[in-house]
């Protein structure tokens, strides 16, 4: 589908702002895709990206929910950078889970992925709340992985509690393998998914069982 005139204008506005800051900082970037696809750092652009994400609807002028979700998605991907650590990016990213209209799950995944990269242990409570919020569907998957990586029994419990939600079951079962040390008591929990209707769940369940102590 061809981009709408509103989509084109929104990116023109954002590109103008990116170009302005980049020129002053002697950076080569001129558009959002430039940032998403770059391995070069752009700390001077992080405050601009945060501001655009915080006020995406007003700044972009977009009214179509799908386009607005995709626009926020791109901003979240651009903020998945080391220079956004310790900034206002994290609280603004948390807010994206609950903007209205609600973002599609595929776009929420970009939010969760950014938070997996940027969140620190002091963000644990908010990450745990997102992980347990089933209204977010598969959009919270990366947050579940972050919890597992923290290595706490509480985080493991939260992820295990979400396995009966089909939207995150396959990834949840997969992420559990990263927990060290894996408790033997998980075997009955995982075994029930060996015959799951979803072939990916069955695959991940078998792989996780192979890692669990007898």
């Amino acid at each position: 589908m061809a981009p709408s005139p509103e989509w084109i204008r929104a990116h023109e506005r954002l590109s103008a702002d990116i170009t302005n800051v980049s020129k002053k900082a002697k950076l080569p970037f001129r558009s959002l895709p430039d940032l998403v696809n770059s391995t070069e750092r752009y700390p001077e652009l992080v405050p601009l990206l945060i501001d655009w994400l915080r006020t995406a609807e007003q700044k972009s002028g977009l009214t179509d929910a799908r386009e607005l979700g995709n626009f926020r998605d791109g901003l979240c991907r651009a903020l998945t950078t080391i220079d956004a650590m310790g900034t206002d990016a994290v609280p603004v990213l948390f807010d994206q889970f609950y903007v209205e209209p609600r973002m599609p799950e595929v776009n929420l995944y970009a939010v969760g992925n950014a938070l997996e990269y940027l969140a620190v242990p002091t963000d644990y409570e908010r990450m745990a709340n997102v992980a347990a919020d089933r209204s977010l569907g598969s959009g919270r998957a990366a947050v579940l992985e972050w919890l597992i990586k923290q290595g706490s029994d509480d985080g493991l419990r939260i992820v295990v509690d979400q396995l009966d939600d089909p939207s995150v079951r396959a990834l949840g079962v997969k992420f559990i393998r990263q927990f060290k040390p894996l408790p033997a008591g998980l075997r009955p929990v995982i075994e029930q998914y060996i015959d799951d209707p979803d072939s990916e769940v069955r695959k991940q369940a078998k792989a996780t069982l192979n890692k669990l102590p007898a």
Side-chain angles (χ1 to χ4, degrees):
M1 183 187 302
S4 70
E6 292 79 14
W7 176 264
I8 293 171
R9 284 195 294 271
H11 276 276
E12 286 175 346
R13 295 186 190 111
L14 176 55
S15 294
D17 283 356
I18 290 173
T19 299
N20 183 47
V21 174
S22 292
K23 285 182 176 178
K24 290 178 180 177
K26 294 182 170 54
L27 294 171
F29 308 107
R30 300 296 181 264
S31 69
L32 191 61
D34 288 349
L35 302 177
V36 173
N37 297 321
S38 177
T39 57
E40 186 175 342
R41 292 173 65 171
Y42 40 89
E44 295 87 351
L45 285 164
V46 168
L48 171 69
L49 295 169
I50 294 171
D51 185 50
W52 265 86
L53 183 57
R54 182 187 285 118
T55 58
E57 188 169 4
Q58 296 91 330
K59 279 184 173 293
S60 70
L62 293 168
T63 56
D64 180 81
R66 180 184 56 83
E67 288 190 331
L68 194 52
N70 288 337
F71 192 81
R72 287 189 168 110
D73 185 306
L75 290 165
C76 292
R77 292 176 188 276
L79 281 169
T80 310
T81 173
I82 189 170
D83 294 302
M85 290 181 173
T87 69
D88 287 341
V90 168
V92 173
L93 284 163
F94 276 122
D95 290 343
Q96 302 312 299
F97 283 115
Y98 300 104
V99 294
E100 292 294 343
R102 187 70 69 92
M103 291 167 64
E105 290 181 26
V106 66
N107 299 137
L108 289 178
Y109 190 88
V111 180
N113 189 61
L115 282 168
E116 181 185 4
Y117 185 78
L118 297 174
V120 296
T122 53
D123 298 310
Y124 184 91
E125 184 175 355
R126 292 196 73 177
M127 292 291 270
N129 289 339
V130 167
D133 187 348
R134 298 192 178 197
S135 74
L136 301 173
S138 61
R140 63 205 165 103
V143 178
L144 296 177
E145 185 172 19
W146 183 91
L147 285 182
I148 289 292
K149 289 178 178 178
Q150 303 316 296
S152 75
D153 291 339
D154 179 69
L156 176 62
R157 177 191 59 77
I158 291 171
V159 175
V160 170
D161 286 349
Q162 301 311 307
L163 295 184
D164 61 347
D165 179 354
S167 72
V168 294
R169 182 176 298 153
L171 287 173
V173 171
K174 176 182 179 181
F175 296 154
I176 284 171
R177 294 201 294 273
Q178 300 179 43
F179 192 85
K180 307 295 182 191
L182 279 167
L186 280 179
R187 184 166 288 276
V189 175
I190 304 301
E191 283 178 337
Q192 65 183 311
Y193 298 117
I194 287 296
D195 298 317
D196 193 90
D198 187 328
S199 61
E200 183 61 22
V201 173
R202 298 195 299 270
K203 172 185 170 182
Q204 297 302 333
K206 290 176 183 176
T208 297
L209 283 172
N210 288 336
K211 293 287 186 178
L212 289 173

